Amino acid sequence: MNYWLIKSDPQSYGWEEMKKDGETLWDGVRNYQARNNMKLIKEGELALFYHSNTDKAIMGEVVITKEYYQDPTSDDPRWCAVDLKFAKEYSKPVTLAQIKDDQRLKDILLVRQPRLSVMPIKVSEYDIISKYAQK
DNA sequence: GCCAACGTTGGC
DNA sequence: GCCAACGTTGGC
């Protein structure tokens, strides 16, 4: 079981829409590293849903319902999409500031590589974040 | 709204 | 294949 973090700009697709839709396809990734990560995601794995720009916080969790396939928004076979389903909303979103303040999370890719939009999360990191989410 | 960081593109 | 120029992202 691997954990992931996906980033979204709420102006293009926000957590509210994710909740309302229940299920959606995650497309439009045009970055090789993010794409490579996306190809490693397996059906049934969990991803943290992060809002960039306005909230700068992890809003909740989603489950991958379909592994990577050709991105329907592109004819270019290099790009792919996955399907996601709403899993749970955090009672307290975990903010970037909290993450940055926690020494144990200093190596998290969210901080070290701020522009990457799909990234793996270590189990230890996931555990810390989910504890913050319940507080 | 600005700017730094980074990825991508294109000319050589 | 290198590197400068440019575009995009995202934090502040």
Side-chain angles (χ1 to χ4, degrees):
Chain A
M1 178 74 179
N2 295 301
Y3 295 95
W4 306 90
L5 184 145
I6 57 173
K7 276 205 272 198
S8 182
D9 181 347
Q11 280 165 355
S12 49
Y13 189 87
W15 180 241
E16 291 307 315
E17 280 169 277
M18 181 74 239
K19 269 201 295 183
K20 183 161 62 69
D21 292 348
E23 191 162 4
T24 191
L25 78 160
W26 204 252
D27 58 19
V29 171
R30 296 291 181 269
N31 168 286
Y32 288 110
Q33 213 182 334
R35 191 276 317 265
N36 292 342
N37 288 333
M38 207 150 90
K39 285 192 167 180
L40 298 172
I41 303 179
K42 298 278 188 297
E43 188 176 322
E45 290 185 334
L46 262 180
L48 307 174
F49 191 107
Y50 176 81
H51 261 180
S52 61
N53 294 314
T54 50
D55 295 318
K56 281 167 288 173
I58 299 165
M59 309 304 290
E61 297 174 3
V62 293
V63 172
I64 282 69
T65 52
K66 192 172 173 190
E67 288 176 28
Y68 80 96
Y69 54 95
Q70 169 67 37
D71 186 339
T73 64
S74 171
D75 292 332
D76 194 326
R78 290 178 301 173
W79 306 120
C80 61
V82 295
D83 286 355
L84 310 172
K85 188 175 69 181
F86 171 85
K88 108 173 148 190
E89 180 168 45
Y90 285 168
S91 50
K92 289 208 146 195
V94 181
T95 65
L96 182 63
Q98 283 179 292
I99 290 165
K100 282 190 165 171
D101 279 349
D102 194 316
Q103 265 303 302
R104 297 168 298 171
L105 294 174
K106 69 173 169 39
D107 288 330
I108 199 169
L109 282 171
L110 185 65
V111 176
R112 294 188 45 195
Q113 227 178 317
R115 294 187 51 198
L116 187 60
S117 59
V118 180
M119 66 187 76
I121 294 289
K122 295 186 198 113
V123 178
S124 58
E125 292 165 346
Y126 173 80
D127 287 343
I128 294 165
I129 289 166
S130 51
K131 287 210 180 77
Y132 276 128
Q134 289 159 19
K135 274 182 191 161

